[in-house]
Amino acid sequence: MTVAHARFIDVDRAENDRALLELFGPDGSRRPGRHIVVASQVAEQSLDVDFDLLVSDVAPVDLLLQRVGRLHRHRRPGRPARLREARCLLTGVDRSAAVPAPVRGSEAVYGRHALLRSLAVLHPHLEGGRSLSLPDDISALVQAAYGDGPVGPAQWAPVLEEARLVHEQLQVKKAKAADVFRIREVGKEGRSLMGWLAGGTGDADDTRAGRAQVRDSPESIEVVVVEELEDGSLATVSWAGQGRGGLPLPTGSVPSPKAAKAAAACELRLPAHLAKPYVIDRVVAELEQFYFESWQVKENPWLAGQLLLPIRPGRPTLLAGFRLMYTRENGLEVSSADA
């Protein structure tokens, strides 16, 4: 089994992509007889991989079609007889109710409105036995899902309308928040242009308010993963290939350029729940314990200003009440320290 998701350090994720292409790419010279790939959205795009069978949670229809595009992407004369027809099994939906209900995790990521519209336009294919034809069906399905017209069975209409209203209220709220950062209206003829390009809260900088001017997304925390050795010293992760593994990172002086660049290639974005307002300050404060003045110099552009996450292979790292475990095979796993 192979695991592919965004919670791998950059060098490991690149290696994961290379291995997937080697196994399931156009050549597929090492394609195994049986193999399961458990992947997040990272497998939707970019990777030219080909699978026999797909099992996916419900998602907005455009993203779901991207995933379906990984089915039977290349000619494989040797496919097993039971898998010679491309097939996607859709999960993450409670079908016991009159209107299918996406699971809470999917709603938290994509929103109920988009998921219900996706299920509605796919209803003839899910319940009516109509097969999908890609790329022929893509345009019509996407336009219907993101359009304003009625979709799905008539009895779904009240639930779809409720989801639409909630979605529109959220969009209005976001628009009002973003309005603070809009470029001001052009003044009357003859007025000075001084300050015209300034947002309502000042220049876009690296503060939370500044980042909000250029993107509408939750706060996130990126760290550089380094390895803590038994004597307490730091080094680049030992398994990094191409001579980048196990390079010393002295905390009292500037690391060598080779070591610093190797460490910077091990960046990782922490899960969103570690950046929630109620915990982010504690997370950042604990990470800042590994702030070294000797690294904050122009001779060290790769690591200056970065947050470090020291790990010990096979042992958990405690951070703000959470237990973090990183392995080459599974990437970053996070659980409550009390679990």
Side-chain angles (χ1 to χ4, degrees):
M1 184 176 77
T2 299
V3 177
H5 54 75
R7 304 303 176 209
F8 283 93
I9 58 177
D10 293 341
V11 293
D12 288 346
R13 185 168 170 180
E15 177 60 23
N16 291 345
D17 289 351
R18 185 203 61 76
L20 283 174
L21 285 170
E22 187 173 305
L23 293 175
F24 305 104
D27 177 31
S29 57
R30 293 183 51 220
R31 192 176 183 89
R34 292 184 179 183
H35 197 91
I36 297 174
V37 178
V38 180
S40 66
Q41 294 96 323
V42 299
E44 282 175 7
Q45 303 179 48
S46 302
L47 289 180
D48 186 11
V49 290
D50 164 271
F51 300 115
D52 298 327
L53 176 69
L54 176 69
V55 180
S56 173
D57 280 346
V58 65
V61 70
D62 51 332
L63 302 184
L64 192 57
L65 293 175
Q66 285 275 11
R67 299 174 193 180
V68 172
R70 269 59 197 164
L71 276 171
H72 291 218
R73 192 175 178 88
H74 303 294
R75 292 185 179 276
R76 306 282 184 198
R79 290 191 203 276
R82 295 176 62 186
L83 299 173
R84 286 175 186 167
E85 183 177 353
R87 190 179 183 193
C88 173
L89 305 179
L90 198 62
T91 60
V93 182
D94 179 3
R95 291 190 171 89
S96 62
V99 178
V103 296
R104 292 177 60 185
S106 295
E107 283 195 12
V109 175
Y110 300 115
R112 191 171 184 228
H113 175 66
L115 296 180
L116 286 177
R117 296 281 299 190
S118 178
L119 288 169
V121 299
L122 290 172
H123 185 265
H125 304 279
L126 295 171
E127 305 295 337
R130 186 188 304 175
S131 61
L132 272 174
S133 177
L134 302 186
D136 298 343
D137 290 335
I138 292 177
S139 179
L141 288 172
V142 172
Q143 289 187 53
Y146 287 98
D148 298 324
V151 290
Q155 62 267 30
W156 291 22
V159 177
L160 283 165
E161 177 64 13
E162 178 188 358
R164 182 188 68 81
L165 291 174
V166 172
H167 171 73
E168 290 184 351
Q169 289 170 3
L170 179 60
Q171 296 310 303
V172 169
K173 183 178 179 181
K174 288 184 175 182
K176 287 182 177 179
D179 192 59
V180 177
F181 304 106
R182 287 176 54 189
I183 296 175
R184 297 169 184 170
E185 294 291 337
V186 178
K188 294 181 180 180
E189 185 177 352
R191 293 284 182 90
S192 171
L193 291 178
M194 186 69 68
W196 174 54
L197 296 179
T201 62
D203 295 334
D205 52 30
D206 199 33
T207 65
R208 295 183 201 174
R211 288 191 293 272
Q213 297 184 53
V214 294
R215 72 177 188 214
D216 178 21
S217 62
E219 186 73 17
S220 62
I221 301 175
E222 293 184 351
V223 297
V224 171
V225 176
V226 298
E227 190 166 333
E228 185 177 3
L229 306 180
E230 292 296 333
D231 61 2
S233 62
L234 303 180
T236 59
V237 295
S238 54
W239 60 87
Q242 300 179 351
R244 297 177 295 191
L247 301 177
L249 295 168
T251 58
S253 59
V254 179
S256 69
K258 181 179 179 179
K261 290 173 69 175
C266 296
E267 196 169 59
L268 173 72
R269 178 171 294 181
L270 296 181
H273 61 272
L274 289 178
K276 295 294 185 182
Y278 58 84
V279 73
I280 187 171
D281 290 337
R282 181 180 173 188
V283 170
V284 172
E286 292 188 15
L287 291 172
E288 285 180 340
Q289 296 179 49
F290 302 98
Y291 176 91
F292 308 114
E293 288 289 349
S294 58
W295 290 16
Q296 315 308 314
V297 294
K298 64 180 181 180
E299 292 81 12
N300 187 30
W302 300 279
L303 296 177
Q306 298 287 346
L307 293 171
L308 299 185
L309 177 66
I311 63 168
R312 291 192 178 189
R315 302 184 195 178
T317 298
L318 298 180
L319 178 65
F322 292 90
R323 180 182 289 108
L324 280 60
M325 177 73 79
Y326 188 93
T327 61
R328 173 65 189 88
E329 296 74 25
N330 297 326
L332 182 68
E333 300 174 80
V334 180
S335 60
S336 172
D338 299 326

